[in-house]
Amino acid sequence: MPRPQRQVLQQAVVEHGVLMAMEGYRGFLGLLVSALLVGFLSVIFVLVWVLHFREGLGWNGSGLEFNWHPVLAVTGFVFIQGIAIIVYRLPWTWKCSKLLMKSIHAGLNAVAAILAIISVVAVFEYHNVRKVPHMYSLHSWVGLTALILYIQQLVVGFFVFLLPWAPPSLRAIVMPIHVYSGLLLFGTVIATVLMGVTEKLFFVLKHPSYHSFPPEGVFTNTLGLLILVFGALIFWIVTRPQWKRPREPGSVPLQLNGGNADRMEGAIAISSAHSMDAADAADAESSSEGAARKRTLGLADSGQRSTM
């Protein structure tokens, strides 16, 4: 087959693979809208909690400064981080360059890290003013560990994947660790936020007590459920293989030894082989038909000559 026709065929197969990768688009869209809605409601709920039940926000070492901690943690460390995780899964961004999507992914994670750092600073300043001991609860241990590992994850991802310095072999080694660590940290952050919300309610709800179902307790428990549902939706979206971003045409796979080849590449290769074999078979069939027609005409001509 001529090279231009083969390139056209391969491009058609690639486009077919992209369409196949978008299978279940309506389900993806429904889950995406649900995740955005639940995540946005989580941010609204935490704002209502601190503005209505906890007297508002401030930066003076009082409880108003502490209130920045849950607001920034839910907004940055949960909601924005969740969006950063699924940004590669948005099918209408598949036409964008991989470098642009990497930059958006890194930018969202950087914003989440900055907000999380500010939230931790607010807690430490509040404890310093109130003479409260630092780092005595499980919530603080897990939360600060998650923040440190999150910053480390961001730095490693920036130097290995965003900058063009790292060799493909190093990226192939780091990629599965990067993906696993990101999901593990996201789940850890959600668990830490739920622990922190419960801990705060036990501290502040005395009259009436937390176990008597006061309005603030019920409202904040609902906030915790929203955060949990948001995390579950993000995990479901990011773990569906049919919604994975297709590999760009002409890109070199990270795993060059054939360990875990991408399904789409296999489908493209198989489809290309079948298409080329079919084309070659069609050409061979046309050639054989032409030869048979010539033989028939030759026999007919010989018969006419013998009759004459």
Side-chain angles (χ1 to χ4, degrees), residues 10 27 32 108 160 165 209 214 224 235 252 256 280 287 294:
Q10 289 177 350
L32 177 63
L108 290 173
V160 174
W165 300 340
S209 62
F235 269 103
V252 179
L256 303 177
D280 294 338
S287 300
K294 289 181 180 179

Side-chain angles (χ1 to χ4, degrees), residues 219-236:
F219 183 85
T220 313
N221 287 347
T222 306
L223 167 63
L225 290 177
L226 289 174
I227 294 173
L228 186 62
V229 171
F230 175 74
L233 291 172
I234 295 298
F235 269 103
W236 183 262

Side-chain angles (χ1 to χ4, degrees), residues 187-267:
T188 303
V189 166
I190 291 178
T192 305
V193 170
L194 296 180
M195 285 191 295
V197 168
T198 305
E199 181 181 295
K200 180 65 175 179
L201 291 177
F202 274 117
F203 286 158
V204 299
L205 293 181
K206 301 298 183 181
H207 304 287
S209 62
Y210 185 24
H211 59 264
S212 63
F213 293 95
E216 181 178 357
V218 174
F219 183 85
T220 313
N221 287 347
T222 306
L223 167 63
L225 290 177
L226 289 174
I227 294 173
L228 186 62
V229 171
F230 175 74
L233 291 172
I234 295 298
F235 269 103
W236 183 262
I237 291 173
V238 80
T239 54
R240 299 305 95 192
Q242 66 269 27
W243 296 333
K244 183 179 179 181
R245 176 187 172 96
R247 191 182 304 279
E248 293 181 352
S251 63
V252 179
L254 290 179
Q255 296 186 354
L256 303 177
N257 295 327
N260 292 322
D262 189 86
R263 292 183 179 180
M264 183 181 170
E265 282 191 346

